């Protein structure tokens, strides 16, 4: 980690963060934020560029980001500090463990998974996050009417995401009538350096939006 990221961990983690492996029982989100509000969970916040901007724009939601990389969480805390964000909490660890053991069924309003690791080699596809069992787990934690929003710039992964989510009975593709079932790219999602690079390299980003039945 950089010096700044290490400082962010020292100064901000005690107030903003929790480690999944140290959680006990169901996470009391209302108590953690000190208020009751819609809950957004972002899985895989990376270096926090999108996460910090969205949390800033959505002050009326309780925004939770989970990430496995220390440096990414450190950078996210730096970005949040710079933007004056106070409705963001961070989790370090495995999203599957979090959802299985510490998030109550039908308690999340939105789950966002933007640009998960594509594992582009075919022999590694089984490592991809978006698989039927995982999507079933996510769907079970969404409130009825809640939203699962996915985005990727890898065409075959986008198609896999669509196939997996279309096969989950608890989910309905909000844009099923659009060409390919793809959601229009939302104007509110920031264009990151990562997405810009993908576009330069000829990869088209795809969004998918599903509603919990």
């Amino acid at each position: 980690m950089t010096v700044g990221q290490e400082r962010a961990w020292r100064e901000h983690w005690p107030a903003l963060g929790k480690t999944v492996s140290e959680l006990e029982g169901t996470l009391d989100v209302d108590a953690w934020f000190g208020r009751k509000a819609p809950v957004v969970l972002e899985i895989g916040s990376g270096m926090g560029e999108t996460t910090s901007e969205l949390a800033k724009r959505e002050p009326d939601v309780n925004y939770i980001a989970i990430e496995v990389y220390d440096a990414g969480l450190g950078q996210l805390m730096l970005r949040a500090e710079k933007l004056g964000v106070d409705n963001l909490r961070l989790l370090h660890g495995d999203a599957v463990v979090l959802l299985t053991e510490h998030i109550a069924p039908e308690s999340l309003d939105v789950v966002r998974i933007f640009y998960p690791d594509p594992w582009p080699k075919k022999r590694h596809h089984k490592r991809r996050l978006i698989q039927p069992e995982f999507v079933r787990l996510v769907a079970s934690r969404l409130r009825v009417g809640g939203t699962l929003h996915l985005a990727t710039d890898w065409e075959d992964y986008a198609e896999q995401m669509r196939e997996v989510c279309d096969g989950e009975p608890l989910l309905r593709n909000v844009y099923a009538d659009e060409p390919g079932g793809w959601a229009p790219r939302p104007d509110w999602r920031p264009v990151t350096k990562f997405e810009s690079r993908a576009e330069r390299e000829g990869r088209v980003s795809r969004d998918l939006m599903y509603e919990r039945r």
Side-chain angles (χ1 to χ4, degrees), residues 50-59 61 63 85 87-88:
T50 293
T51 311
S52 56
E53 289 285 348
L54 291 181
K56 176 69 173 179
R57 295 180 196 175
E58 301 173 288
V61 308
Y63 205 113
V85 173
N87 62 321
L88 176 67

Side-chain angles (χ1 to χ4, degrees), residues 9 83 139:
W9 270 88
L83 293 173

